[in-house]
Amino acid sequence: MTLFFFFFAGSSTFQAAGKSYCIEKLWHDPVPKAISYTGYVTEDGHNFACNHSQDVSSHVIFVVDRSGSMGSPDIKPKMVKFPENRLGCVFEAMVRFIRTRIAANLQDVMSVVLFDDHGQIAMEREHMSEPQVDKLLTFEDAGGTVYSSGIARVEEILVRSVSDPAVAGKSPAVVFLSDGDNYGGLDPVHCVNQLKKLEQSLIFHTIMFATDPTNSAKKLLTDMAAAGDGMFQVSIDEIQLSRSFEDLAKSLRPKVASLM
């Protein structure tokens, strides 16, 4: 007598013969694109309880507001080598970020864009290491705040990265930080959307760094992060900022998936 076994996949995990199956109900809507520490969500919105994947390295592009307000001494870094102002706190937080990534044995590449009214590429496609941050000490706070001026430089970096074998295979991620409102320039959300068209795998995170963040700045940075499939965070002091950078360093876990 032949026996037939029927399995119905509902909301519980279904595994057989070494294969993993989506744990959502049949004909479910795509779940939000995200990668958790215990599971995996595919590009087309299927949710797997297990995660047969491995971390890969990233090309991290820091986009940092260096406008006049970033010279405010209301928040100061702990490390004495950095300027005693908001900008110095950002440099210190970048060190925390780099240390966290290096501890994970990842071969990351980093670029840095500093912006006020105009954006400037301070560093491009360098091997990620702590001494790289010291090279930024020659830059000082000045000028106004135009978000799109910094994003435009990111686009230039991404375009040049295509032909760079040192960046090939590394997942691009942007960490965009400002301490104030945007004044003029192009629509930053539209600019982020354009970056995503250029590089679909790009993740765009934003941070509001200020003791008195405005609602308008928070909304804009939130919308930018949403457009870039990233996270928005608010940091009101140097301790929170360092934690935010460390958390982002841990969350940048691009995957090479193998679901079979």
Side-chain angles (χ1 to χ4, degrees):
M1 180 174 62
T2 302
L3 297 179
F4 295 92
F5 295 91
F6 296 89
F7 297 89
F8 295 90
S11 58
S12 60
T13 304
F14 173 40
Q15 295 180 303
K19 297 181 179 180
S20 298
Y21 294 85
C22 180
I23 65 175
E24 301 296 322
K25 293 182 179 180
L26 194 64
W27 313 121
H28 66 86
D29 292 329
V31 298
K33 285 195 303 181
I35 299 173
S36 69
Y37 290 102
T38 57
Y40 183 79
V41 176
T42 64
E43 288 294 321
D44 53 354
H46 291 294
N47 185 11
F48 291 78
C50 54
N51 191 0
H52 303 288
S53 58
Q54 62 183 13
D55 292 335
V56 298
S57 301
S58 296
H59 176 196
V60 183
I61 307 173
F62 297 99
V63 186
V64 179
D65 182 349
R66 67 152 182 169
S67 61
S69 58
M70 288 294 288
S72 173
D74 60 338
I75 314 175
K76 300 178 181 180
K78 302 296 184 184
M79 298 181 183
V80 296
K81 67 177 179 178
F82 295 124
E84 294 187 341
N85 53 32
R86 295 181 181 184
L87 189 58
C89 292
V90 178
F91 294 158
E92 179 180 65
M94 289 173 64
V95 169
R96 307 288 188 190
F97 182 102
I98 292 169
R99 288 176 178 176
T100 302
R101 296 294 290 178
I102 291 177
N105 294 317
L106 294 169
Q107 300 300 312
D108 292 327
V109 170
M110 63 184 290
S111 298
V112 179
V113 174
L114 301 175
F115 73 94
D116 43 59
D117 301 289
H118 300 86
Q120 179 179 359
I121 298 175
M123 184 183 306
E124 183 170 358
R125 293 171 289 159
E126 297 286 350
H127 175 70
M128 183 176 286
S129 65
E130 190 171 330
Q132 298 287 5
V133 182
D134 294 342
K135 299 177 182 178
L136 302 175
L137 296 179
T138 58
F139 295 93
E140 298 180 348
D141 56 279
T145 308
V146 178
Y147 289 6
S148 62
S149 67
I151 301 175
R153 304 290 84 78
V154 174
E155 182 174 357
E156 295 174 7
I157 292 172
L158 290 177
V159 169
R160 285 192 288 268
S161 296
V162 174
S163 59
D164 185 353
V167 182
K170 299 185 187 299
S171 182
V174 172
V175 179
F176 183 101
L177 178 145
S178 179
D179 70 338
D181 287 283
N182 174 61
Y183 295 98
L186 301 176
D187 175 14
V189 177
H190 173 74
C191 292
V192 176
N193 283 325
Q194 293 301 111
L195 290 182
K196 288 290 289 185
K197 290 180 180 179
L198 178 66
E199 178 53 76
Q200 293 183 354
S201 64
L202 176 74
I203 302 297
F204 198 103
H205 299 296
T206 60
I207 298 176
M208 177 88 255
F209 181 44
T211 55
D212 53 350
T214 65
N215 290 331
S216 57
K218 287 193 292 185
K219 183 182 185 309
L220 182 54
L221 289 168
T222 299
D223 291 344
M224 290 165 61
D229 294 327
M231 295 185 294
F232 165 70
Q233 299 183 66
V234 176
S235 298
I236 63 172
D237 58 33
E238 78 285 354
I239 297 175
Q240 285 190 1
L241 185 65
S242 289
R243 288 175 179 170
S244 292
F245 270 66
E246 288 174 345
D247 288 343
L248 285 178
K250 294 174 182 177
S251 72
L252 287 183
R253 303 180 69 210
K255 300 291 181 178
V256 175
S258 175
L259 300 178
M260 299 297 290

